Amino acid sequence: MADPVALMALAIDAAIGWPAQVYRRIGHPVNGFAAIIRCCAERWNRGGAGTRRIAGVATVLLLIAVAGGIGLSVTWLLHSLFGEWSWIAVALFAAPGLAQRSLFEHVRAVRDALAGGDLAEGRSAVAMIVGRDTATLDQAGISRAAIESLAESFCDGIAAPLFWLLLLGLPGIWIYKAINTADSLIGHREQPWREFGWAAARTDDLLNLLPARIAGPVICLVAGRGWRVMWQDARNHASPNAGWTEAAMAGALGLRLAGPVSYDGEAHAKPWIGNGRTDAGATDIARALALYLRACALLWLVAGAAAWVR
């Protein structure tokens, strides 16, 4: 059996996550990537469309070099210091790249607010995890937004970083987190990011290609349903990847997700995903969280099996 780095990293993240006290004192490792991205944007996101696109490619390559270099260096250093026990330290450095606990806590906060009848608090809680306008959302809109975020983030917050950790070790998970952070900050179709963020968005799509197509079936598998909706509606999402987990969750819960939404006061007529109810509520969020926990547990089994096979 190989060292169970990924399994240990999942356990550490589930047990303690990234404590708020630590975040207040030193921030989070992805903040370093965000600082690099903002610096590159300030210096390089100028000139013609072609120039900005080339600058965006350079930014992605820089992030890969920095994240991969740090991952390799830390792995080598820990191995030199701790020898055969270095895998425990590697897991400690990998755990912040996962988001099982923080995602659960953020979505649970939305459920708790709605269960208590506090729509204002529900809007405030869901605004922490979605980019859409939340000020006018009713209970159903808040609930669907929370469930959609849970489904999408199951891939890019847990399944995808775990995939790259298993495949490439510490360099893999931190390269993924660097690119995913870049996609969040600059991978937008609107100006002034359209050309500069093109490389970040396409690289993030590539890195999520296989994980999304694993994460969707994982949700269907633990739910025992949702397969037909996933196959039919996965492509209704603007993202080539996010639709897999959202459609799986919609089918598993018997809901319709996505649909018309507003960003920065501008309405977007997005297609629906799923063919069930739209009147979601706190109970549906609780059901989604239960599925999420079972899906995470299955990934734990995959991580353990990968260590055993190796």
Side-chain angles (χ1 to χ4, degrees), residues 29-280:
V30 299
N31 292 352
F33 299 136
I36 294 173
I37 295 162
R38 292 190 182 100
C39 181
C40 291
E42 290 173 2
R43 292 173 177 269
W44 297 345
N45 189 19
R46 59 186 65 180
T51 300
R52 294 200 303 274
R53 182 164 290 197
I54 292 171
V57 172
T59 299
V60 166
L61 293 176
L62 177 62
L63 286 170
I64 292 172
V66 170
I70 291 174
L72 285 170
S73 300
V74 169
T75 301
W76 175 84
L77 178 62
L78 294 176
H79 183 74
S80 299
L81 291 173
F82 302 110
E84 63 178 312
W85 297 104
S86 63
W87 64 272
I88 299 174
V90 172
L92 284 168
F93 277 85
L98 300 164
Q100 296 166 105
R101 187 181 183 94
S102 63
L103 178 58
F104 179 85
E105 289 177 343
H106 277 92
V107 176
R108 183 177 60 183
V110 182
R111 181 205 64 188
D112 291 347
L114 294 182
D118 192 339
L119 282 182
E121 180 59 29
R123 293 186 187 105
S124 177
V126 83
M128 299 289 291
I129 55 175
V130 301
R132 72 192 63 182
D133 298 338
T134 60
T136 60
L137 291 180
D138 59 9
Q139 175 176 278
I142 294 168
S143 300
R144 291 197 306 271
I147 294 169
E148 289 166 29
S149 182
L150 180 69
E152 182 175 351
S153 297
F154 174 66
C155 179
D156 59 24
I158 299 98
L162 177 64
F163 177 90
W164 291 107
L165 175 62
L166 286 168
L167 194 65
L168 297 176
L170 205 55
I173 190 172
W174 286 111
I175 286 173
Y176 175 79
K177 294 304 292 186
I179 297 302
N180 190 244
T181 302
D183 180 55
S184 298
L185 293 177
I186 62 175
H188 309 302
R189 296 181 179 181
E190 300 80 17
Q191 296 296 352
W193 306 115
R194 187 178 183 88
E195 288 80 18
F196 183 71
W198 173 84
R202 297 293 76 77
T203 306
D204 185 70
D205 287 344
L206 180 63
L207 294 182
N208 278 297
L209 193 67
L210 285 176
R213 285 151 183 80
I214 295 170
V218 164
I219 292 173
C220 293
L221 190 61
V222 299
R225 56 181 293 186
W227 298 95
R228 183 173 60 82
V229 172
M230 183 184 70
W231 292 119
Q232 288 182 350
D233 289 0
R235 293 171 182 80
N236 284 357
H237 201 287
S239 164
N241 300 314
W244 287 88
T245 47
E246 286 197 26
M249 187 66 81
L253 297 176
L255 294 174
R256 276 196 292 172
L257 301 177
V261 68
S262 176
Y263 293 95
D264 298 322
E266 183 177 345
H268 295 262
K270 294 186 176 183
W272 289 99
I273 292 176
N275 53 15
R277 297 179 293 109
T278 60
D279 58 336

